[in-house]
Amino acid sequence: MFRVAVTGLGCVTPIGNTVGEYWNSLIEGKVGIGPITKFDTSDMKAHLAAEVKDFDPLLYMDKGEARKTDLFTQFALAAATQAVNDAGIKAGENIAPEELGVYIGSGIGGIQTFCTEHTKIEQQGPRKVSPYFIPMMIMNMATGKVAIEFNAQGPSLPVVTACATSTNAIGEAYRAIKHGYATAIIAGGAEAAIVPLSVAGFCNCKALTESEDPLAASIPFDARRNGFVMGEGAGVVILEEYEHAVARGAKIYAEMVGYGSTCDAYHMTAPHPEAVGGARAIKQAIDEAGGFNEETSIYVNAHGTSTPLNDKSETIAIKKAFGDKAYDVHISSTKSMTGHMLGAAGAVEAIASVLAIKNGVIPPTVGYKEKDPDCDLDYTPNVPLETKVDLAFSTSLGFGGHNGCVAFKNID
């Protein structure tokens, strides 16, 4: 078995298009939610989203490539480029190409391309459909394009588990390195699904909030919560075999020490009311991390979607997994600021967890005002908390009953 280090971070989010901007916004409690600007929402029930602002794909690719690439892949390439540069890892120089892998998933993939090309065939006929339609749309293309960009010839695995996608991608990358199938993996997720079709679909299945107030729309664990806010963007981490990272003098943010993956096998969209699968995923990560004692300072970046069922169920899961320790655990949902980035959520929240360890600060759950008796843990309301973090966990719960949890350890 090999140890696994986190040596690089990269992200594009509704509250910042670099890791530094993202982290500063989290600590400042900046909310990235506002009226949807991408299309007219006058005939829809939901009018708010957490859009990425001022993103320039030409910082990461030329115009020709940008035209042939869906926005979710552009986000992935941007986050991966940041992470690779941050880690200082380069195939052919300090790692063999066949030892570098890519695990980048997406919950929905190139739906923007799908909608554009569907309109073309309906209005102009099949000859007008782009020859790049299929490679732009398919979910594996973020992984494929990143692998091409960085000559990563090792294991390549895009994960698709709805809102647990990038947590599972990072977890599976961790296992691949731990068991010797790769030396380093570029891992995470990307999403760009703020399009009319997606918003209408989520509205009609009663998942999105109809709030008109950006500051009271995504309010995880608050008694007033009534649905999530769609977000978009990408998050990528570089996971690397620990001794390899040390040997090349890499910066190490934290050590990844645990991963849990389960399924509720209960309902297409609703979490299990007793949180059996969620609790088991968290417990798996705890056990693999070596457990904890009374003095261990723990942070949990919760899935915390601001839906009535999720937040109640997740609270139950945390109590079951941590036992009496649950009331001492520092918890927050950064979705209160980023909205729900779907397949990218787990990765940007893993980044927040790693940075909480590195910087000794717990980001807050902003907008929290009214306590819910079903959600009675410490959710770090509204202001950040400076404290040492020994262990950090990031949880994700997806449609289909998918549960994922990743664990990181302070090495200072």
Side-chain angles (χ1 to χ4, degrees):
M1 299 288 184
F2 297 93
R3 296 171 67 188
V4 180
V6 181
T7 58
L9 308 173
C11 66
V12 176
T13 80
I15 56 173
N17 295 340
T18 66
V19 171
E21 291 173 359
Y22 167 62
W23 177 251
N24 289 338
S25 294
L26 288 180
I27 299 309
E28 293 167 5
K30 180 179 178 181
V31 174
I33 297 165
I36 294 173
T37 65
K38 296 173 181 284
F39 53 88
D40 182 10
T41 63
S42 58
D43 60 348
M44 292 187 174
K45 294 178 181 179
H47 306 286
L48 301 179
E51 297 178 340
V52 168
K53 291 89 174 167
D54 303 318
F55 175 71
D56 183 2
L58 302 186
L59 295 173
Y60 305 98
M61 65 194 78
D62 62 33
K63 286 185 179 179
E65 280 301 302
R67 283 196 297 268
K68 296 181 288 185
T69 307
D70 188 89
L71 184 58
F72 92 100
T73 300
Q74 293 178 8
F75 286 157
L77 277 165
T81 300
Q82 293 174 30
V84 167
N85 290 342
D86 185 36
I89 196 163
K90 190 168 184 179
E93 292 188 8
N94 53 22
I95 188 170
E98 61 271 19
E99 294 179 4
L100 178 63
V102 184
Y103 283 29
I104 296 178
S106 179
I108 299 178
I111 193 167
Q112 191 169 98
T113 294
F114 177 87
C115 292
T116 297
E117 300 306 317
H118 179 265
T119 298
K120 286 183 184 178
I121 195 170
E122 287 289 299
Q123 296 182 353
Q124 303 176 59
R127 291 182 180 273
K128 292 297 182 179
V129 173
S130 170
Y132 296 105
F133 168 49
I134 299 301
M136 288 175 69
M137 176 191 67
I138 52 180
M139 291 185 191
N140 71 303
M141 199 47 64
T143 286
K145 294 282 274 188
V146 169
I148 292 167
E149 179 69 22
F150 298 106
N151 193 25
Q153 299 177 26
S156 175
L157 181 67
V159 174
V160 183
T161 49
C163 307
T165 288
S166 49
T167 293
N168 286 139
I170 291 169
E172 296 301 325
Y174 161 73
R175 284 185 177 167
I177 296 170
K178 182 177 180 177
H179 291 279
Y181 297 105
T183 299
I185 295 181
I186 304 164
E191 207 76 83
I194 303 176
V195 298
L197 185 62
S198 297
V199 173
F202 278 119
C203 278
N204 292 348
C205 74
K206 309 297 184 184
L208 296 184
T209 180
E210 296 178 18
S211 172
E212 300 288 347
D213 182 358
L215 300 181
S218 184
I219 45 174
F221 304 106
D222 189 293
R224 301 166 297 151
R225 68 189 185 278
N226 58 18
F228 75 81
V229 175
M230 280 187 69
E232 62 180 354
V236 170
V237 302
I238 306 300
L239 299 183
E240 186 171 351
E241 192 276 315
Y242 195 93
E243 296 303 327
H244 184 272
V246 170
R248 69 179 185 86
K251 169 177 73 261
I252 297 176
Y253 286 95
E255 182 179 356
M256 186 166 175
V257 290
Y259 171 49
S261 177
T262 67
C263 187
D264 289 347
Y266 169 73
H267 191 272
M268 284 196 298
T269 58
H272 193 288
E274 297 303 320
V276 176
R280 195 154 46 88
I282 299 170
K283 189 65 166 58
Q284 286 175 1
I286 291 171
D287 290 346
E288 190 170 17
F292 53 82
N293 56 43
E294 290 183 6
E295 289 73 38
T296 307
S297 177
I298 297 173
Y299 169 54
V300 173
N301 187 297
H303 190 56
T305 58
S306 188
T307 61
L309 292 179
N310 175 91
D311 297 1
K312 177 182 177 180
S313 174
E314 189 169 14
T315 297
I316 294 170
I318 291 170
K319 289 178 181 178
K320 286 186 173 181
F322 287 97
D324 293 340
K325 181 74 172 179
Y327 288 92
D328 294 327
V329 170
H330 304 292
I331 304 165
S332 69
S333 173
T334 46
K335 287 185 179 71
S336 58
M337 293 170 271
T338 66
H340 190 352
M341 295 168 64
L342 306 179
V348 298
E349 290 159 14
I351 291 170
S353 303
V354 167
L355 291 176
I357 289 175
K358 191 68 176 175
N359 297 321
V361 182
I362 307 294
T365 303
V366 303
Y368 184 92
K369 290 183 180 180
E370 295 185 19
K371 291 184 179 180
D372 181 344
D374 290 325
C375 301
D376 59 346
L377 300 177
D378 177 8
Y379 305 108
T380 320
N382 299 308
V383 293
L385 174 68
E386 291 190 19
T387 185
K388 184 184 180 189
V389 179
D390 299 312
L391 277 174
F393 298 85
S394 180
T395 61
S396 295
L397 316 173
F399 279 8
H402 302 289
N403 307 294
C405 181
V406 289
F408 305 94
K409 179 181 178 182
N410 193 327
I411 60 169
D412 291 339

